[in-house]
């Protein structure tokens, strides 16, 4: 037989495009349209419906950037259409290639009832099926003219990312406003042909199945009358019945489809617009659930559910009904789909506490899966947190974006720093916006790396980010793929159903140990420094507020601010969303974030000061409140006392312009350039700085990545570097313990104060940068005279080791990584820590010693600032302040302690006398991260702590109050938890912990 395959395939494409798809709507009449443009921010629905609109014609421009326009469409169904299905086609000016990144609309009935969202791939509203003819149609559309930020020429700087700079030029052209007849037979024929045509293209050319489809499609097209598609659609479909009914082979890959609409809680739009995106999508998905009996939709991020409840009660009622039917599924159990690299220990725990509690309180549903398809890598401490929250599964997608190495598994157990393992799945479909195309389904089956051992994968299916979620076309495709020869099988299922099947199918999957590092988006650890500083400061202020309020409540009856703390935690957690905290959102988002963090700081400071006043009482005794988990200067951890000062620091100015600081523990030499050329540990008689090198070295790199400006830094940035060694001034500080350095470069200026506190083995570096560079990367370097093959960086509830070498491509790819409060490097018996109060990004490299080709030194570089121009063209312009400390001779215990110390400075006041801690611990390896009152209002004291040094340990916690009962709990403060149970002796509670083990105790007050 002659090979006519390409001829048939080309015929199919043209006939579909030019004849069959247009025949889905064979007849149409225009609607009358009028519009009212809201003058400012979005208005309540009732105001939008009541506004008097002005006529507008199709083809007219509308919509200033970030504006809201209320369209009223009216018309009459022709009587000739009686008995037929009629839909309104409402095209606001959509580009079908950009679902979720442009204008959107929500359709209302005249009484204010929401109908469904309007999106580029979902422009229809059902009027009747069938209609009687003569019906009056009246619909209202709340249309958001969100500007296109990420367009066909991505990453170009734009002022559209903030309403203050976006201007008023209309963004869209009203394209179609019609009533139309919907021919379901033609629509079904389109789906038959699309599914078969896409499947055909994925099958081997020499397979019999492919040729069966070719012949069936050819016969079907022969039966389509191109002048009467509607009249001949059913007979054409009949020719396809056989090939659509052929069942899948028993070994076919099995896909669990989950309806999905990944909605970034802020990104290329502000938070207020996400509230409306969620309302549009949930309106769509509740409608689809009602229309499609097999469809299941899952939505994560409790914050987004809370927005629907608060802002759209009429949609919330439909959501609750669908949840009760098991068709609209709360997923993930987190407050938002947060970044997981940068949030601190307690913040990461509270993501699950507040997320899971919301779904339990509202629906009685316990989430056992963490759902994070788009997060930029996963910290090694996360498995324990997931387990401690009562969950056991993790789904993500983003690791498939890695630039260098292909992750070796799709289903595996992920082991965290404490040994906890979590059953984890990466969908091989490689998208969290699957549209059920044949190419996507075939890719999932081919790509699945666990073939031969497992056969289940998951496909999150639907347009995200305001694209409207799953469409009726996707559901129709899935129905045809349920059991189809040549394809993977597809069935709609909940995340829980998938994980139960997958885990049963693969009881002994491979194990991956340590962080899940994304080899992309590394610059998110640095971009938008003030957002990151706001997060870090808010986390520590919340730690203080809970500690002092709980202590004051127990000791003095101080009213514990449950509601205020709950609200503030949720605000901080929202801003840890994976496009806010990472610095990858538009200017509007970060401008609002800065203002929000300032309000939070003021409110939490008020709580802290009120609680401390209650604790201190009246008096003139100098007191320092120490909220850190370690004693310092005679002040106990979690208590207050008069601090003591030991020793003194001397400052010597040399004729050559150098300065020497000496406190009997360290001798620091700062040369005339303001660089630290010596940091001598006097007790160990050990030099810290690498030979011939200098610390406190600011280095400037060009920074123009190939893509994703705010997200990425590409390795070639290192090829060019400028050492900022010229100083405008290097002068002695008036306190006798510091040196002040001023530098200028480009359009920017740096002022530093280097301080050696008396009696302490740490050099404190306060850096102020007035930053006015663009597309530059600023680093702060510490070359250390250490031979280290690995180093430790703090992560949630512990620390994680990374190699300093680049033996493999996996190691080389980690050229920028995350730490929390410290990094630590050591040789046996001696080490160095670099601690910080607000930075996360860093790199660590090895260099051959300059005093001979024997041995190596190790350089730690802190990432301070970047200056990308997309999506915020003014990223980080202005004044920034950072604090770091170099700690020579540091053990890991010292690194942990100094990391807490630099983030929780003492608060000084006066009072009647010392304040004893509410809880004390007798072992420095056990770090208390939270002391608070129980969330249920019972008055119980909740204490959370972990082993912080990486070894097994025993510790005794002593309560400073009468204890009636002790319970080990999960993160939600419910009885539970594993590990060795504590032993109680009165107010003394002895625990044994494995390395990095996390434990929560609930202490009932007697």
């Amino acid at each position: 037989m002659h090979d006519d395959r390409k001829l048939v395939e080309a015929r199919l494409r043209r006939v579909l495009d030019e004849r069959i798809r247009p025949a889905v709507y064979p007849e149409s009449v225009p609607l009358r349209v009028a519009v009212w443009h809201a003058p400012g921010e979005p208005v309540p629905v009732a105001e939008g419906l009541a506004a008097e609109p002005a006529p507008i014609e199709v083809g007219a421009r509308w919509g200033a950037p970030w504006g809201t326009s209320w369209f009223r469409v009216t018309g009459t169904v022709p009587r000739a259409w009686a008995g037929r299905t009629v839909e309104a086609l409402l095209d606001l000016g959509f580009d079908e290639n950009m679902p979720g990144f442009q204008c959107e609309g929500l359709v209302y009935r005249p009484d204010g009832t929401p109908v469904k969202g309007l999106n580029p791939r979902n422009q229809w509203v059902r009027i009747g099926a069938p209609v009687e003819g003569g019906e009056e149609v009246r619909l209202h559309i709340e249309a958001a003219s969100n500007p296109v930020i990420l367009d066909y020429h991505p990453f170009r700087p734009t002022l559209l990312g903030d309403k203050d700079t976006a201007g008023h030029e209309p963004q869209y052209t009203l394209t179609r406003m019609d009533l139309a007849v919907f021919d379901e037979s033609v629509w079904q024929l389109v789906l038959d042909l699309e599914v078969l045509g896409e499947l055909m293209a994925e099958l081997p050319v020499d397979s019999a199945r492919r040729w069966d489809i070719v012949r069936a499609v050819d016969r079907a097209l022969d039966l389509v009358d191109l002048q009467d598609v509607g009249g001949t659609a059913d007979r054409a479909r009949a020719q396809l019945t056989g090939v659509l009914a052929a069942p899948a082979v028993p070994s076919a890959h099995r896909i669990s489809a989950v309806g999905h609409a990944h909605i970034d809680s802020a990104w290329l739009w502000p938070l207020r617009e996400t509230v409306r995106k969620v309302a549009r999508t949930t309106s769509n998905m509740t409608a689809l659930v009602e229309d499609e009996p097999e469809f299941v939709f899952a939505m994560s991020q409790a914050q987004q559910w809370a927005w629907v409840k608060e802002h759209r009660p009429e949609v919330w009622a439909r959501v609750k009904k669908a949840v009760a039917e098991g068709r609209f599924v709360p997923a993930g159990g987190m407050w938002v789909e947060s970044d997981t690299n940068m949030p601190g220990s307690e913040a990461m725990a509270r993501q699950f506490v507040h997320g899971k509690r919301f779904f339990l309180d509202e629906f009685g549903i316990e989430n056992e899966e963490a759902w994070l398809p788009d997060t930029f890598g996963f910290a090694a401490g996360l498995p324990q947190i997931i387990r401690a929250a009562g969950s056991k599964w993790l789904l993500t997608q983003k690791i498939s974006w890695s630039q260098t190495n292909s992750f070796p598994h799709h289903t595996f157990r992920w082991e965290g720093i404490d040994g906890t393992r979590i059953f984890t799945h990466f969908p091989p479909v490689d998208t969290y916006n699957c549209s059920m195309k044949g190419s996507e389904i075939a890719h999932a089956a081919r790509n699945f790396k666990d073939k031969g051992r497992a056969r289940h994968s998951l496909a999150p299916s639907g347009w995200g980010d305001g694209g409207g979620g799953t469409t009726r076309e996707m559901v129709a495709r899935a129905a045809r793929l349920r059991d189809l020869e040549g394809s993977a099988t597809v069935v709609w299922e909940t995340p829980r159903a998938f994980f139960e099947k997958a885990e049963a199918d693969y009881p002994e999957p491979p194990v991956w140990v340590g962080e899940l590092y994304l080899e992309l988006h590394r610059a998110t650890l640095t971009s938008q420094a003030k957002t990151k500083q706001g997060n870090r400061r808010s986390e520590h202020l919340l730690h203080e507020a809970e500690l002092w309020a709980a202590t004051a409540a127990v000791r003095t009856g101080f009213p514990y601010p449950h509601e205020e703390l709950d609200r503030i935690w949720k605000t901080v957690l929202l801003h840890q969303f994976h496009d806010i905290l990472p610095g990858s959102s538009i200017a509007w988002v970060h401008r609002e974030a800065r203002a929000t963090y300032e309000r939070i700081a003021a409110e939490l400071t008020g709580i802290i000061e009120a609680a401390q006043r209650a604790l201190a009482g009246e008096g003139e005794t100098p007191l320092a409140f120490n909220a850190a988990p370690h004693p310092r200067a005679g002040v106990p951890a979690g208590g207050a006392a008069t601090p003591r000062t030991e020793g003194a620091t001397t400052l010597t100015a040399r004729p050559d312009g150098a300065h020497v600081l000496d406190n009997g523990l360290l001798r620091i030499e700062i040369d005339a350039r303001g660089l630290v050329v010596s940091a001598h540990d006097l007790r160990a008689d050990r030099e810290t700085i690498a030979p011939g090198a200098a610390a406190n070295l600011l280095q400037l790199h060009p920074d123009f990545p190939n893509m994703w400006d705010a997200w990425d830094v590409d390795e070639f940035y290192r090829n060019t570097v400028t050492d900022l060694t010229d100083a405008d001034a290097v002068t002695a500080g008036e306190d006798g313990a510091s040196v002040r350095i001023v530098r200028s470069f480009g359009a920017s200026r740096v002022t530093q104060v280097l301080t050696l506190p008396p009696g302490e083995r740490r050099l404190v570096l306060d850096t102020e940068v007035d930053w006015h560079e663009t597309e530059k990367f600023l680093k702060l370097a510490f070359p250390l005279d250490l031979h280290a093959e690995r180093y430790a960086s703090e992560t949630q509830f512990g620390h994680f080791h990374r190699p300093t070498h680049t033996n493999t491509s996996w190691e080389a790819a980690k050229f920028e990584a995350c730490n929390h409060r410290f990094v630590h490097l050591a040789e046996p018996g001696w080490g160095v820590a670099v601690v910080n109060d607000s930075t996360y990004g860093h790199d660590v490299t090895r260099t051959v010693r300059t005093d001979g080709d024997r041995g190596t030194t190790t350089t730690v570089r802190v990432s301070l600032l970047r200056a990308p121009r997309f999506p915020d063209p003014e990223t980080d312009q202005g004044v920034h302040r950072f604090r770091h400390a170099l700690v020579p001779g540091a053990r890991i215990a010292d690194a942990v302690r100094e990391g807490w110390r630099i983030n929780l400075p003492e608060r000084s006041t006066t009072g009647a006398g010392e304040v004893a801690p509410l809880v004390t611990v007798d072992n420095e390896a056990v770090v208390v991260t939270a002391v608070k009152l129980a969330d249920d209002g019972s008055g119980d004291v909740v204490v959370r702590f972990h082993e912080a040094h990486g070894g097994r340990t025993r510790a005794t916690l002593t309560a400073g109050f009468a204890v009636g009962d002790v319970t080990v709990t999960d993160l939600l403060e419910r009885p539970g938890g594993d590990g060795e149970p504590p032993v109680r002796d009165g107010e003394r509670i002895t625990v044994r912990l494995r390395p990095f083990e996390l434990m929560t105790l609930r202490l009932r007050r007697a």
Side-chain angles (χ1 to χ4, degrees):
M1 178 179 290
H2 298 297
D3 184 353
D4 61 350
R5 173 181 54 84
K6 292 183 179 179
L7 190 67
V8 175
E9 292 170 356
R11 180 190 186 192
L12 173 62
R13 286 192 295 272
R14 184 174 187 193
V15 172
L16 263 176
D17 286 344
E18 297 184 23
R19 292 295 184 270
I20 302 180
R21 287 194 187 99
V24 170
Y25 292 103
E27 299 177 55
S28 65
V29 295
L31 288 159
R32 296 181 298 277
V33 189
V35 65
W36 173 73
H37 303 293
E41 283 293 280
V43 300
V45 173
E47 184 177 343
L49 294 175
E52 187 59 38
I56 186 173
E57 298 294 328
V58 167
R61 300 283 290 170
W62 70 276
W66 306 113
T68 301
S69 299
W70 283 84
F71 291 94
R72 185 186 66 197
V73 295
T74 56
T76 305
V77 176
R79 294 195 178 277
W81 292 358
R84 305 173 78 177
T85 297
V86 174
E87 294 180 345
L89 301 181
L90 309 173
D91 187 344
L92 299 173
F94 296 124
D95 180 341
E96 290 192 0
N97 296 315
M98 285 197 230
F101 298 94
Q102 53 185 293
C103 59
E104 300 169 42
L106 182 56
V107 179
Y108 296 89
R109 295 188 179 93
D111 64 0
T113 303
V115 180
K116 67 188 293 286
L118 291 180
N119 313 96
R121 302 291 181 96
N122 202 333
Q123 302 175 20
W124 57 273
V125 176
R126 181 64 57 90
I127 301 301
V131 296
E132 295 180 0
E135 292 96 333
E136 294 298 322
V137 175
R138 183 187 180 101
L139 298 172
H140 297 263
I141 307 166
E142 181 190 17
S145 50
N146 301 333
V148 175
I149 307 293
L150 190 69
D151 62 13
Y152 289 100
H153 301 282
F155 319 124
R156 289 187 178 178
T158 174
L159 296 177
L160 290 172
D162 195 327
K163 64 177 180 178
D164 291 343
T165 60
H168 305 284
E169 185 70 22
Q171 299 291 294
Y172 296 100
T173 300
L174 199 62
T175 301
R176 185 176 187 181
M177 294 275 150
D178 288 347
L179 286 178
V181 172
F182 174 73
D183 191 323
E184 182 158 356
S185 292
V186 176
W187 183 80
Q188 295 285 5
L189 176 60
V190 169
L191 271 298
D192 289 346
L193 290 171
E194 286 180 345
V195 167
L196 289 172
E198 291 167 4
L199 173 61
M200 182 169 61
E202 298 298 327
L203 293 170
V205 172
D206 58 357
S207 70
R209 173 62 170 166
R210 180 161 181 163
W211 284 97
D212 285 346
I213 296 173
V214 168
R215 296 277 75 86
V217 167
D218 203 25
R219 291 193 299 271
L221 294 177
D222 286 342
L223 294 177
V224 175
D225 184 339
L226 300 184
Q227 277 67 51
D228 184 17
V229 175
T232 54
D234 285 339
R235 73 184 189 188
R237 292 193 70 205
Q239 289 296 321
L240 303 174
T241 301
V243 287
L244 284 169
V249 298
S251 61
H253 185 66
R254 299 170 185 175
I255 293 177
S256 297
V258 179
H260 185 240
H262 173 77
I263 302 178
D264 287 308
S265 289
W267 179 28
L268 304 180
W269 47 86
L271 287 167
R272 67 92 153 143
E273 192 55 33
T274 315
V275 175
R276 302 202 296 174
K277 284 177 179 281
V278 172
R280 298 172 198 126
T281 297
T282 50
S283 296
N284 271 356
M285 294 302 93
T286 51
L288 193 60
V289 161
E290 292 173 359
D291 292 342
E292 301 289 348
E294 294 187 353
F295 176 62
V296 176
F297 181 76
M299 189 169 93
S300 67
Q301 307 192 73
Q303 170 68 87
Q304 296 188 0
W305 293 71
W307 280 333
V308 177
K309 181 181 180 182
E310 178 183 358
H311 296 282
R312 289 289 193 271
E314 64 283 3
V315 179
W316 180 248
R318 289 160 55 180
V319 167
K320 289 186 70 174
K321 177 177 179 292
V323 171
E325 295 169 353
R327 308 278 306 289
F328 200 115
V329 182
M334 295 177 69
W335 190 247
V336 295
E337 290 182 13
S338 73
D339 180 81
T340 74
N341 286 313
M342 290 176 282
S345 302
E346 275 302 308
M348 201 72 254
R350 305 299 175 96
Q351 286 286 353
F352 289 90
V353 169
H354 288 284
K356 294 194 72 169
R357 187 172 288 146
F358 181 89
F359 293 142
L360 282 164
D361 290 347
E362 295 294 336
F363 308 113
I365 289 175
E366 173 92 14
N367 292 100
E368 292 189 291
E369 77 289 334
W371 183 275
L372 291 163
D374 191 30
T375 298
F376 309 153
F378 299 88
L382 189 58
Q384 178 176 209
I385 298 171
I386 293 172
R387 184 74 71 179
S391 298
K392 59 184 180 180
W393 302 312
L394 169 67
L395 178 134
T396 185
Q397 179 68 69
K398 203 72 170 191
I399 300 296
S400 69
W401 286 39
S402 284
Q403 286 179 319
T404 306
N405 299 286
S406 177
F407 198 81
H409 318 296
H410 280 109
T411 303
F412 59 100
R413 292 199 187 277
W414 177 29
E415 181 179 314
I417 56 174
D418 73 313
T420 297
R421 293 180 176 181
I422 295 293
F423 188 83
T424 303
H425 181 65
F426 293 169
V429 71
D430 281 348
T431 177
Y432 41 83
N433 296 302
C434 176
S435 61
M436 288 291 148
K437 286 185 177 179
S439 57
E440 294 171 329
I441 301 304
H443 175 75
R446 284 194 301 264
N447 188 42
F448 188 56
K449 293 179 179 176
D450 303 288
K451 290 188 285 286
R453 297 181 181 272
R455 62 177 59 179
H456 284 87
S457 73
L458 185 144
S461 302
W463 301 115
D465 284 332
T470 316
T471 66
R472 62 184 178 184
E473 287 79 14
M474 295 178 196
V475 176
R477 288 168 176 272
R480 289 158 173 81
L481 296 168
R482 184 180 184 90
D483 188 15
L484 183 63
E485 183 185 355
S487 172
T489 64
V490 177
V491 60
W492 295 106
E493 291 188 300
T494 65
R496 176 187 292 273
F498 161 74
F499 275 110
E500 287 175 344
K501 287 182 178 179
E503 198 165 20
D505 183 42
Y506 204 8
E508 296 296 333
V511 176
W512 181 270
V513 179
E515 68 182 333
L516 295 172
Y517 179 92
L518 177 64
E519 296 170 357
L520 193 73
H521 293 359
R522 303 166 181 90
T524 58
L525 303 173
T526 305
S527 296
Q528 298 287 0
K530 288 186 177 177
T531 299
K532 291 169 171 57
Q533 289 177 324
N535 173 74
R536 179 77 71 85
R537 178 143 178 74
S538 296
E539 289 180 353
H540 287 93
L541 285 169
L542 278 160
H543 172 88
E544 287 192 84
E546 289 182 338
L547 169 65
W548 301 127
T551 305
V554 172
R555 295 278 164 72
T556 73
F558 179 82
Y560 190 83
H562 283 285
E563 292 184 2
E564 292 90 338
L565 290 172
D566 180 79
R567 170 177 46 79
I568 294 170
W569 262 118
K570 288 173 179 174
T571 301
V572 172
L573 298 178
L574 167 60
H575 286 78
Q576 291 177 340
F577 179 74
H578 65 253
D579 277 308
I580 303 178
L581 179 55
S584 47
S585 289
I586 55 174
W588 189 348
V589 173
H590 293 290
R591 171 172 56 80
E592 289 190 332
R594 291 190 293 271
T596 298
Y597 285 131
E598 289 177 5
R599 290 194 300 271
I600 287 171
E603 189 170 0
L604 289 173
T605 300
I607 293 171
I608 292 164
E609 290 176 348
Q612 289 180 345
R613 284 194 299 271
L615 287 165
E618 296 296 328
E620 299 303 320
T621 302
L623 294 176
F625 279 83
N626 174 20
H630 307 90
R632 58 192 179 200
V635 183
T642 301
R644 63 174 184 263
T645 302
E646 298 178 350
T649 299
T650 63
L651 171 60
T652 303
R654 291 181 175 173
D656 62 0
H659 294 78
V660 178
L661 295 166
D662 191 324
N663 67 359
L665 300 173
L666 298 177
R667 186 175 64 244
I668 307 296
E669 182 177 342
I670 302 165
D671 70 8
R673 303 171 297 170
L675 302 179
V676 178
V677 293
S678 175
H680 200 82
D681 181 346
L682 297 173
R683 288 184 178 177
D685 190 22
R686 174 78 183 251
E687 177 56 57
T688 306
I689 308 303
N696 190 41
L697 175 63
L698 290 164
Q699 295 183 302
L700 193 65
H701 296 271
D703 184 18
F704 191 64
N706 290 342
M707 297 176 66
W708 300 107
D709 294 36
W711 295 256
D712 280 359
V713 56
D714 289 327
E715 190 173 14
F716 54 73
Y717 88 92
R718 292 181 172 180
N719 296 347
T720 305
V721 61
T722 301
D723 291 344
L724 304 179
T725 57
D726 293 337
D728 300 342
V730 179
T731 56
E734 295 180 359
D735 60 359
S738 64
V739 175
R740 184 174 183 269
I741 303 124
V742 179
R743 306 183 193 280
S744 300
F745 61 94
S748 302
R749 180 181 175 90
V750 176
T751 303
Q752 291 184 295
V753 177
L754 276 54
T755 305
L756 183 62
E760 298 177 12
R761 292 199 307 177
R762 62 185 181 119
L763 175 66
V764 179
L765 300 88
D766 288 296
T767 302
E768 179 181 287
V769 186
D770 190 3
W771 181 246
H772 296 285
E773 308 306 304
T774 58
E775 296 168 352
K776 295 288 193 294
F777 196 2
L778 184 65
K779 292 263 189 176
L780 178 62
F782 298 89
L784 306 175
D785 194 9
L786 272 170
H787 174 79
E789 293 185 359
R790 66 175 192 169
Y791 73 99
S793 63
E794 188 185 31
T795 187
Q796 293 97 359
F797 297 111
H799 57 266
F800 173 66
H801 286 99
R802 296 187 184 95
T804 61
H805 55 76
T806 55
N807 284 356
T808 70
S809 60
W810 294 87
E811 293 150 356
K814 295 184 180 183
F815 59 83
E816 185 79 3
C818 182
N819 69 287
H820 286 187
R821 287 167 289 223
F822 70 80
V823 295
H824 180 259
L825 303 94
E827 294 174 0
W830 195 83
V832 178
V834 177
V835 300
N836 72 83
D837 75 341
S838 60
T839 56
Y840 296 92
H842 70 277
D843 66 77
V844 178
T845 54
R846 292 154 55 90
T847 307
V848 174
R849 291 173 62 94
T850 59
D851 56 349
D853 194 16
R854 295 170 64 84
T856 60
T857 62
T858 310
T859 298
V860 176
R861 297 200 309 162
V862 176
S863 302
L864 294 183
L865 289 165
R866 299 183 67 237
R869 301 185 64 209
F870 181 88
D872 176 4
E874 298 295 320
T875 299
D876 279 333
Q877 300 299 294
V879 177
H880 302 269
R881 295 177 180 87
F882 307 95
R883 173 168 283 188
H884 295 83
L886 177 68
V887 190
R891 308 165 297 153
I892 195 71
D894 300 313
V896 173
R897 183 189 66 249
E898 294 298 335
W900 277 96
R901 178 174 192 163
I902 202 170
N903 282 274
L904 283 169
E906 300 95 330
R907 292 179 181 269
S908 298
T909 186
T910 58
E914 294 187 1
V915 177
L918 202 57
V919 176
T920 60
V921 185
D922 68 353
N923 187 331
E924 69 173 354
V926 175
V927 170
V928 175
T929 61
V931 176
K932 59 189 288 293
L933 294 194
D935 291 341
D936 62 7
S938 63
D940 294 354
V941 175
V942 172
V943 184
R944 186 150 36 247
F945 51 90
H946 70 286
E947 195 288 319
H949 296 174
R952 294 185 184 274
T953 196
R954 175 183 180 276
T956 297
L957 283 74
T958 302
F961 57 93
V963 176
D965 191 25
V966 177
T967 306
V968 179
T969 74
D970 65 6
L971 294 178
L972 277 71
E973 302 170 7
R974 306 174 296 189
D978 53 12
E980 190 170 331
V983 176
R984 180 187 168 205
D985 180 10
E987 276 64 63
R988 292 165 54 85
I989 304 152
T990 300
V991 298
R992 294 181 183 273
L993 301 175
R994 66 180 181 270
F996 301 126
E997 182 179 359
L998 158 67
M999 184 176 285
T1000 305
L1001 296 182
R1002 182 171 180 145
L1003 312 181
R1004 182 172 58 81
R1005 292 151 63 188

